[in-house]
């Protein structure tokens, strides 16, 4: 439809505006053509978009399986609760005052926890509002890791400060995990 309209506009412009082809400057011809045909093209496009069409109809959203949701959130739960998870690793580094190890770990843990694991879980959430909440919790995890990192820098080492931010990270991850119950699964 759009191509037909543009072709029609082009033909009509040439028939009705023969003086355009007689102008010595070809760029004026193109400019005049664009001035006349583009508003028409945009108008046609806009009107086509406002009409319901089966091509643009909303598709049924496929619900994730219970196993997918469980596996995705278990990966985050592992980081929070497992003795081998990242949170317990950081706690062990704080307790041992291994500031270099803690600082190195926090540099890459944001990528692993927030971007990969929490990002994957966020995609399963059913609404934009819940996804925005999840983004807020995930961003808080980044700031918690920055706080832990700052408290492990040479000359700024602080067991109290690192533990404070580690507890905030635990709380933010736990709050993020609470969003799991909002996900509808198939079956």
């Amino acid at each position: 439809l759009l191509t037909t309209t543009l072709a029609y506009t082009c033909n009509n412009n040439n028939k009705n505006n023969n003086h355009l082809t007689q102008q010595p400057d070809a760029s004026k011809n193109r400019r005049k053509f664009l001035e006349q045909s583009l508003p028409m093209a945009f108008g046609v496009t806009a009107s086509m978009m406002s009409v319901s069409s089966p091509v643009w109809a909303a598709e049924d959203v496929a619900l994730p399986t219970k196993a997918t949701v469980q596996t995705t959130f278990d990966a985050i739960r592992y980081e929070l609760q497992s003795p081998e998870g990242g949170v317990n690793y950081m706690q062990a580094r704080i307790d041992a005052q291994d500031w270099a190890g803690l600082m190195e770990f926090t540099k890459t843990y944001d990528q692993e926890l927030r971007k990969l694991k929490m990002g994957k879980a966020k995609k399963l959430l059913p609404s934009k509002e819940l996804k925005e909440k999840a983004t807020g919790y995930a961003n808080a995890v980044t700031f918690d890791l920055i706080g832990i990192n700052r408290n492990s820098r040479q000359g700024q080492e602080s067991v109290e400060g690192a533990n404070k931010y580690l507890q905030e990270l635990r709380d933010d991850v736990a709050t993020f995990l609470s969003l799991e119950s909002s996900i509808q699964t198939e079956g």
Side-chain angles (χ1 to χ4, degrees):
L1 179 66
L2 181 59
T3 332
T4 307
T5 305
L6 283 175
Y8 175 77
T9 303
C10 181
N11 288 336
N12 273 349
N13 283 341
N14 287 337
K15 289 177 187 174
N16 297 333
N17 300 314
N18 286 332
H19 65 278
L20 291 177
T21 58
Q22 296 170 356
Q23 291 179 357
D25 188 1
S27 66
K28 288 183 181 178
N29 290 340
R30 280 181 258 139
R31 187 175 305 134
K32 190 70 172 172
F33 170 75
L34 291 173
E35 287 173 356
Q36 292 176 348
S37 63
L38 285 180
M40 177 73 136
F42 287 124
V44 169
T45 304
S47 67
M48 287 173 54
M49 293 176 104
S50 66
V51 175
S52 294
S53 172
V55 174
W56 294 311
E59 296 178 19
D60 290 335
V61 177
L63 295 175
T65 64
K66 196 172 269 192
T68 299
V69 173
Q70 184 72 38
T71 303
T72 304
F73 278 85
D74 279 351
I76 300 167
R77 220 173 269 106
Y78 172 86
E79 294 297 326
L80 180 63
Q81 299 169 351
S82 172
E84 293 85 30
V87 173
N88 281 329
Y89 179 85
M90 288 187 287
Q91 186 64 64
R93 299 289 70 76
I94 293 169
D95 294 344
Q97 295 187 14
D98 176 8
W99 303 117
L102 181 61
M103 194 167 161
E104 195 59 36
F105 184 78
T106 58
K107 287 179 185 178
T108 58
Y109 195 53
D110 182 63
Q111 177 73 29
E112 181 181 339
L113 177 63
R114 181 184 66 90
K115 287 188 177 181
L116 296 178
K117 294 181 180 180
M118 294 174 88
K120 187 176 179 182
K122 184 173 79 167
K123 290 177 184 176
L124 298 173
L125 295 171
S127 70
K128 183 179 178 182
E129 293 80 25
L130 287 173
K131 288 178 183 180
E132 287 173 358
K133 279 185 181 181
T135 298
Y137 302 139
N139 288 344
V141 166
T142 298
F143 291 112
D144 300 336
L145 289 168
I146 290 170
I148 294 167
N149 187 288
R150 283 186 181 158
N151 283 281
S152 62
R153 292 180 186 163
Q154 190 173 7
Q156 299 177 6
E157 300 94 341
S158 169
V159 171
E160 183 181 324
N163 276 324
K164 172 189 164 214
Y165 284 106
L166 184 59
Q167 185 56 48
E168 287 182 18
L169 183 136
R170 284 183 179 110
D171 296 342
D172 292 330
V173 173
T175 306
F176 183 93
L177 287 170
S178 71
L179 297 174
E180 180 180 9
S181 63
S182 69
I183 301 173
Q184 294 179 352
T185 57
E186 67 181 32

